[in-house]
Structure formats: C-alpha cells, structure tokens
C-alpha cells in the first residue's frame, strides 16, 4: 500500500513542479513583451493619484470639516464658551488698566514732588536760612567766596589740564 502511495505522489509532485515552471516562464515572457506598457501604467497611475485623486479627497475632507464645524449645536456650545472667555479677558484687562493707571498716578505724584521747590516755612526745625552757622569763625573763612590762591576756598574746581584730553581716554 505504501508503494502505491509513494508512486502516486511522485507523478503529482512532478506535475505540480512542471505547472509552476510553466507559469513562471509564461509570466516572464509576458513581462518581457509588455515591460514598457507596465512602466507607463505605473507612471500614469502615480500621476493620476497625485494630480486627481489626492486633491479630490482633500477637498472632500475640507468640505466635511466645514460642515461639522458649522453645525448649529456645536456653534451654540462654542459661542457660550467664547462669551465666558471674553468676559474673563475683559476682567483681566480692566484690572491691568486700573493697575497701570495707579502706577502712572503715583509716578506723576513723584515727579511733581521732585519738581516742587521747597518753601522756607516747610524747612525742618533747626535749619537756618543762609550759608551756614554764624558762630564758627573758621567756617566763615572757608565760605567767604572764591579765592584762586586758596585751594580750600569754595567754587574751586581743582587742577584742570589745558589740553582737552591729555591721555586719549
């Protein structure tokens, strides 16, 4: 029985192998005869995909997205959120504007205070009007005015070169 089976298998295997070889040779001959046609079909399909199919699908997706985005249910939900966010932004901007106005007013007051000339009646106690204390003899000599020969006299600027920039710096 086993001999029959093995004898039966061998012719079938050879038939299968022979049919596979035939299929391969026929396919190769068709490929050799129609190679340029296949290359043309591949190039044409590539160009068709890039220039026709993809733009069409892209446009279709955009239209679908626009339809979804403009649905009344979605728009009403978004409008409520938008109004809430705008109210919050408005509150923030009002607070920022108030703070900026307060800072500007304080700077203005400081500038006004800096420019203001102090009046004699506003001076602190213990200060006297004039050049200084009257009881000190040495201080009156020092503050008596400009003396070119006295280096400790007022209004002296010390040594100043006659050349504007002696060292170049």
């Amino acid at each position: 029985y086993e001999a029959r089976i093995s004898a039966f298998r061998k012719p079938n295997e050879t038939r299968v192998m022979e049919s596979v070889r035939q299929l391969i040779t026929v396919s190769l001959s068709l490929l050799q005869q129609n190679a340029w046609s296949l290359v043309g079909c591949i190039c044409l399909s590539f160009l068709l995909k890039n220039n026709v199919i993809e733009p069409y699908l892209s446009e279709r997706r955009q239209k679908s997205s626009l339809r979804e985005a403009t649905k009344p249910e979605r728009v009403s939900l978004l409008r409520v959120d938008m109004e809430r966010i705008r109210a919050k932004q408005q509150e923030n901007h009002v607070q920022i504007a108030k703070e900026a106005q307060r800072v500007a007013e304080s700077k203005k007051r400081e500038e006004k205070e800096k420019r203001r000339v102090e009046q004699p009646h506003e001076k602190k106690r213990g200060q006297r009007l004039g050049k200084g204390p009257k009881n000190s003899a040495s201080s009156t000599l020092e503050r008596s005015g400009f003396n070119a020969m006295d280096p400790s006299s007022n209004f002296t600027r010390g040594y100043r070169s006659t050349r504007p920039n002696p060292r170049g710096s």
Side-chain angles (χ1 to χ4, degrees):
Y1 180 73
E2 288 180 12
R4 282 186 189 173
I5 294 175
S6 65
F8 185 70
R9 281 187 187 168
K10 285 186 181 180
N12 282 341
E13 285 178 11
T14 56
R15 280 189 222 155
V16 170
M17 291 300 285
E18 193 62 36
S19 64
V20 169
R21 279 187 205 139
Q22 263 185 341
L23 183 65
I24 291 174
T25 55
V26 169
S27 299
L28 285 177
S29 68
L30 282 173
L31 184 64
Q32 287 173 352
Q33 291 172 0
N34 301 316
W36 287 110
S37 301
L38 289 173
V39 169
C41 287
I42 291 171
C43 290
L44 187 63
S45 64
F46 181 74
L47 289 173
L48 186 69
K49 176 185 169 247
N50 285 341
N51 295 329
V52 177
I53 296 172
E54 283 184 1
Y56 172 74
L57 291 176
S58 171
E59 183 181 334
R60 191 170 171 193
R61 274 187 235 116
Q62 283 179 344
K63 286 180 181 178
S64 169
S65 175
L66 181 63
R67 226 179 299 119
E68 288 292 321
T70 57
K71 278 187 176 178
E73 305 89 34
R74 184 171 187 271
V75 170
S76 65
L77 288 174
L78 291 176
R79 185 168 288 128
V80 170
D81 287 341
M82 182 178 60
E83 289 171 358
R84 180 182 50 83
I85 290 170
R86 283 187 180 168
K88 189 184 253 185
Q89 286 176 342
Q90 185 66 28
E91 289 175 13
N92 289 343
H93 287 299
V94 166
Q95 288 176 353
I96 290 170
K98 284 181 182 177
E99 182 68 23
Q101 185 179 10
R102 189 184 59 77
V103 168
E105 287 174 358
S106 67
K107 282 185 179 181
K108 190 176 180 180
R109 268 188 264 120
E110 288 174 6
E111 282 295 319
K112 193 174 184 180
E113 196 64 34
K114 284 181 184 177
R115 287 190 211 143
R116 193 173 149 278
V117 176
E118 195 172 282
Q119 299 298 321
H121 66 277
E122 294 174 344
K123 291 208 178 229
K124 295 178 185 173
R125 288 187 175 198
Q127 290 182 343
R128 304 187 83 179
L129 296 175
K131 291 189 175 185
K134 291 183 177 180
N135 57 3
S136 170
S138 63
S139 66
T140 56
L141 290 176
E142 289 176 4
R143 296 178 186 239
S144 62
F146 176 71
N147 183 356
M149 301 305 287
D150 184 12
S152 66
S153 69
N154 285 343
F155 311 114
T156 58
R157 296 185 176 181
Y159 173 73
R160 187 169 273 195
S161 172
T162 55
R163 290 174 39 196
N165 201 357
R167 293 188 182 175
S169 57

